[in-house]
C-alpha cells in the first residue's frame, strides 16, 4: 500500500502539473495523453490540495510539499472569487473563469484542501480562507427553515434554476452527496483548529443525516430531496453508503462527542453490512442500483471507500471478517483497477474485471483523493492495531 501510494503521488506530480498556465492540467485520457483545453475544476483542485497536503504532512517529502503549495496558490489566485468570495466551479485551460456558479459541494472540498494545507504548513492564510468559506456556506447555503444545505447558487449567491452537481444527478435542492462532503471538510477544519462554531455545524450535519438522509426503512442513504426533505429518488449507492459509514463516525470522533459515537456505531455498521448484503460480489462492490436495476461495474472510488469502511468497522468491532473482506477488495484493486502499464487507477472495469471503457485517467472527477486517502486510512488502522 505504501508503494502504491507513492506511485499515485508521483503520477500526479509527473503527469498533471501545468508549468505553462499554473496549477494542474484539467485532464488526461485513459492512454495518458493530455486532453487539450480540458477545463480545470474546483473539485479537482481542492482534492489535489488535500491529497498533497496530507502526503506532505505525513511523509514530509519536499516534492509533496511543493505540489501542495502549487495547489494552494493556484486555488487562491485563480479559483477564488475576489468580488463575491467563494470559489468558481471551473476555469478554462489557461485559468480564466468558465462557470462561476458556487456549488456547495465544491466549496466544501476547498475547505477540505485548505484546512489540510494548514495542518501541513501552519500557513495562517490557508486557515483564514477555510474559515471564510465555512462562513459563506453557513450564510448562503444553510436552510434555516428545514435544516441542512442547498446545492448551488450563482457567483453572487443568487438562486439558480439548475443546481445539479453533474448531468447524472437529479435537479433537486438538496442531496446526500453534498451533505457528506460538507461534514467531511467541517470535521477536518475542526481537526485543524477546534472551535465551537464549526463543532455546532458538525452536530447539525449529524442530526440531518440521522433524521433526514438515512432511510428509516432501510437504514441506508436516500440521495435526493426537496427542500422539506421529501425523498426524490430510488437509488442505492453502495460506494456512498460505505464511505458515509466511516466519515460520519469520524466526524463524531473528531469532536470527541461520545454520545454521538455510541449512537452512530450501529448505524454505521449497518451501512457497511447492507452494502455487503446487497452490493458485494465476493471480492469487491458493485456501483449502484437505480430503480431496481443493478449496475454491476466496479468503479475505482467505491472500491477505495470500501477498503476504509471495512477497515474502520473492523477497528470498531474487532470482527476480523471485515478485515479479510478489506484485503479482498485490495487484492481486486491490485489485480484489476491499478493501471500497471500507464499509472494511476482505471476509472472502472466491468463485472468480470475487464477493462472495456474509455473513461479518463485524470479529470474533473478523477483525482488522487479517493485512492490515496484510502491507502493512508487503511495503513493507519493496520498500524494502530499492532
Amino acid at each position: 500500500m505504501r508503494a502504491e501510494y507513492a506511485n499515485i503521488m508521483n503520477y500526479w506530480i509527473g503527469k498533471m502539473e501545468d508549468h505553462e498556465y499554473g496549477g494542474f492540467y484539467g485532464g488526461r485520457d485513459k492512454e495518458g495523453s493530455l486532453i487539450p483545453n480540458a477545463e480545470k475544476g474546483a473539485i479537482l483542485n481542492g482534492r489535489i490540495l488535500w491529497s498533497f497536503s496530507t502526503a506532505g504532512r505525513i511523509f514530509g517529502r519536499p516534492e509533496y510539499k511543493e505540489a501542495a503549495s502549487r495547489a494552494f496558490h493556484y486555488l487562491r489566485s485563480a479559483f477564488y472569487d475576489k468580488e463575491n468570495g467563494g470559489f468558481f466551479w471551473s476555469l478554462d485551460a489557461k485559468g480564466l473563469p468558465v462557470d462561476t456558479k458556487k456549488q456547495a459541494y465544491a466549496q466544501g472540498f476547498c475547505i477540505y484542501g485548505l484546512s489540510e494545507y494548514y495542518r501541513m504548513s501552519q500557513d495562517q492564510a490557508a486557515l483564514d480562507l477555510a474559515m471564510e468559506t465555512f462562513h459563506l456556506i453557513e450564510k448562503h447555503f444553510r436552510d434555516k427553515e428545514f435544516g441542512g444545505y442547498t446545492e448551488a447558487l450563482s457567483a453572487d449567491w443568487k438562486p439558480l434554476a439548475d443546481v445539479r452537481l453533474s448531468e447524472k444527478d437529479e435537479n433537486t435542492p438538496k442531496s446526500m452527496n453534498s451533505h457528506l462532503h460538507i461534514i467531511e471538510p467541517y470535521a477536518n477544519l475542526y481537526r485543524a483548529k477546534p472551535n465551537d462554531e464549526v463543532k455546532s455545524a458538525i452536530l447539525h450535519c449529524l442530526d440531518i443525516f440521522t433524521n433526514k438522509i438515512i432511510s428509516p426503512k432501510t437504514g441506508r442513504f436516500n440521495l435526493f430531496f426537496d427542500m422539506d426533505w421529501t425523498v426524490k429518488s430510488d437509488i442505492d449507492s453502495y460506494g456512498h453508503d460505505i464511505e458515509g459509514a466511516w466519515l460520519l463516525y469520524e466526524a463524531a470522533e473528531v469532536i470527541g462527542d461520545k454520545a454521538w459515537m455510541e449512537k452512530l456505531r450501529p448505524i454505521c455498521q449497518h451501512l457497511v453490512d447492507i452494502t455487503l448484503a446487497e452490493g458485494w460480489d465476493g471480492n469487491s462492490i458493485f456501483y449502484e442500483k437505480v430503480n431496481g436495476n443493478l449496475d454491476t461495474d466496479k468503479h475505482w472510488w467505491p472500491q477505495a471507500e470500501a477498503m476504509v469502511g471495512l477497515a474502520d468497522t473492523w477497528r470498531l468491532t474487532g470482527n476480523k471478517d471485515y478485515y479479510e473482506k478489506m484485503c479482498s477488495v485490495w487484492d481486486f484493486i491490485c489485480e484489476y483497477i491499478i493501471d500497471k502499464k500507464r499509472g494511476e487507477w482505471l476509472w472502472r472495469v466491468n463485472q468480470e474485471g475487464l477493462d472495456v471503457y474509455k473513461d479518463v485517467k485524470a479529470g474533473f472527477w478523477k483525482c488522487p483523493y479517493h485512492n490515496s486517502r484510502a491507502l493512508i486510512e487503511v495503513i493507519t488502522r493496520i498500524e494502530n492495531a499492532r
Side-chain angles (χ1 to χ4, degrees):
M1 288 184 183
R2 286 181 179 274
E4 179 54 24
Y5 185 90
N7 289 340
I8 294 168
M9 295 293 101
N10 291 339
Y11 179 94
W12 284 82
I13 291 174
K15 301 285 188 181
M16 290 299 292
E17 288 187 350
D18 184 348
H19 294 283
E20 182 176 4
Y21 295 113
F24 294 80
Y25 292 124
R28 285 190 179 274
D29 66 19
K30 180 180 173 180
E31 302 301 323
S33 298
L34 195 65
I35 301 173
N37 301 318
E39 289 185 14
K40 299 178 176 183
I43 292 170
L44 175 64
N45 282 262
R47 287 171 165 178
I48 289 172
L49 176 57
W50 180 89
S51 299
F52 279 108
S53 297
T54 301
R57 177 177 57 81
I58 293 175
F59 297 106
R61 294 176 58 172
E63 62 268 34
Y64 295 164
K65 291 184 176 182
E66 288 169 9
S69 179
R70 164 183 285 272
F72 168 64
H73 290 292
Y74 192 75
L75 188 72
R76 184 171 62 169
S77 64
F79 278 96
Y80 180 71
D81 182 347
K82 298 175 180 63
E83 181 178 354
N84 301 293
F87 296 90
F88 298 132
W89 176 250
S90 67
L91 314 175
D92 67 15
K94 295 181 180 181
L96 298 175
V98 174
D99 189 339
T100 61
K101 71 179 178 181
K102 307 291 172 58
Q103 200 87 23
Y105 185 104
Q107 308 307 308
F109 271 107
C110 291
I111 293 175
Y112 201 44
L114 291 165
S115 58
E116 190 67 11
Y117 185 72
Y118 172 77
R119 294 182 72 202
M120 183 201 82
S121 67
Q122 295 301 296
D123 187 334
Q124 186 65 37
L127 181 62
D128 290 345
L129 192 50
M131 284 302 302
E132 176 188 320
T133 311
F134 164 79
H135 288 130
L136 287 170
I137 291 176
E138 291 298 304
K139 178 181 179 180
H140 295 293
F141 290 101
R142 186 152 167 177
D143 179 359
K144 305 301 189 295
E145 182 177 3
F146 296 106
Y149 300 84
T150 55
E151 290 292 295
L153 297 165
S154 67
D156 56 352
W157 313 105
K158 300 295 192 301
L160 292 174
D162 187 345
V163 297
R164 292 175 299 170
L165 188 61
S166 70
E167 291 182 358
K168 70 182 291 289
D169 290 321
E170 299 291 332
N171 189 26
T172 59
K174 293 175 181 174
S175 75
M176 177 284 305
N177 203 10
S178 289
H179 284 78
L180 187 63
H181 298 299
I182 287 175
I183 195 172
E184 166 193 52
Y186 280 12
N188 206 55
L189 182 57
Y190 186 88
R191 186 187 280 118
K193 191 72 172 181
N195 72 79
D196 290 340
E197 194 175 14
V198 177
K199 181 178 181 179
S200 176
I202 291 171
L203 290 171
H204 173 71
C205 288
L206 291 175
D207 179 69
I208 290 296
F209 267 98
T210 53
N211 290 307
K212 303 295 184 182
I213 293 176
I214 295 176
S215 168
K217 294 181 180 179
T218 66
R220 68 183 326 140
F221 293 150
N222 288 314
L223 297 194
F224 297 99
F225 309 86
D226 276 338
M227 285 296 289
D228 64 359
W229 293 104
T230 301
V231 178
K232 303 298 290 184
S233 63
D234 182 14
I235 303 171
D236 297 334
S237 178
Y238 303 118
H240 284 120
D241 283 342
I242 207 163
E243 179 185 18
W246 74 269
L247 284 175
L248 292 183
Y249 192 85
E250 177 191 63
E253 203 167 29
V254 164
I255 62 175
D257 194 309
K258 293 183 178 180
W260 266 108
M261 290 162 66
E262 287 301 311
K263 181 176 181 177
L264 285 168
R265 278 176 184 262
I267 293 172
C268 293
Q269 184 175 352
H270 177 74
L271 285 165
V272 173
D273 287 343
I274 198 166
T275 299
L276 294 174
E278 299 180 11
W280 174 257
D281 77 341
N283 58 10
S284 54
I285 64 172
F286 297 128
Y287 184 52
E288 65 182 9
K289 184 184 290 184
V290 181
N291 300 322
N293 298 311
L294 182 64
D295 183 340
T296 59
D297 285 344
K298 311 294 181 63
H299 292 233
W300 97 99
W301 72 265
Q303 312 313 320
E305 297 302 336
M307 285 179 60
V308 189
L310 289 164
D312 203 51
T313 310
W314 162 61
R315 173 178 74 99
L316 295 175
T317 66
N319 186 339
K320 197 174 180 181
D321 182 58
Y322 294 109
Y323 175 84
E324 292 171 350
K325 284 183 169 60
M326 182 276 293
C327 291
S328 294
V329 178
W330 173 234
D331 289 342
F332 179 86
I333 289 169
C334 290
E335 181 70 21
Y336 299 106
I337 300 294
I338 296 174
D339 189 338
K340 301 174 185 64
K341 179 181 178 181
R342 295 159 295 201
E344 244 284 344
W345 292 15
L346 299 173
W347 186 299
R348 56 177 166 163
V349 295
N350 67 12
Q351 186 173 1
E352 290 73 38
L354 298 178
D355 175 14
V356 296
Y357 301 106
K358 296 186 181 297
D359 305 299
V360 299
K361 181 61 62 67
F364 214 91
W365 297 99
K366 184 71 163 52
C367 59
Y369 148 78
H370 284 290
N371 49 8
S372 72
R373 183 175 72 172
L375 295 172
I376 285 296
E377 294 290 341
V378 172
I379 288 168
T380 300
R381 284 159 176 77
I382 292 172
E383 289 183 340
N384 289 342
R386 288 175 177 171

